[in-house]
Amino acid sequence: MMKISEFQVKDVVNVSNGRKLGHIADLEINLTTGKIEAIVIPGAGKMMGLFARESDVVIPWRNIVKIGSDVILVRHHDTADGESFQKES
């Protein structure tokens, strides 16, 4: 079993490009089932709910690949990466 505080200090890394997305700020929990539906990572420039520049990154629980001792590996389609790839073509 793991505490939320232990979960929040782990780095979240996108397995598709190796990019660090940040740390978990919140969880979406289904109140009917009691299961975690998604993890929420604050957008860049967002500090304690202030100065929001980008929207939060919400990653469905099913997209978590592995939870390690210091990192959480996830599958996340980053639109910024997709757009830069299309521009180079």
Side-chain angles (χ1 to χ4, degrees):
M1 196 162 359
M2 182 179 294
K3 296 178 182 177
I4 292 174
S5 58
E6 295 169 352
F7 204 53
Q8 289 178 308
V9 297
K10 297 176 186 292
D11 291 328
V12 179
V13 175
N14 188 353
V15 295
S16 67
N17 59 13
R19 186 173 151 230
K20 179 181 169 186
L21 300 174
H23 293 93
I24 296 172
D26 211 346
L27 301 173
E28 290 184 0
I29 299 173
N30 182 320
L31 296 178
T32 304
T33 63
K35 293 183 178 182
I36 299 171
E37 296 285 328
I39 58 175
V40 180
I41 302 163
K46 195 167 189 177
M47 183 173 64
M48 300 185 72
L50 304 171
F51 312 115
R53 291 188 199 149
E54 295 181 21
S55 58
D56 294 341
V57 177
V58 178
I59 299 172
W61 187 259
R62 67 182 175 275
N63 288 6
I64 295 177
V65 176
K66 177 80 174 169
I67 300 174
S69 59
D70 58 353
V71 71
I72 299 170
L73 301 176
V74 299
R75 282 189 196 96
H76 176 65
H77 175 66
D78 190 351
T79 56
D81 288 344
E83 289 170 3
S84 65
F85 175 76
Q86 290 175 354
K87 288 179 185 176
E88 294 174 2
S89 302

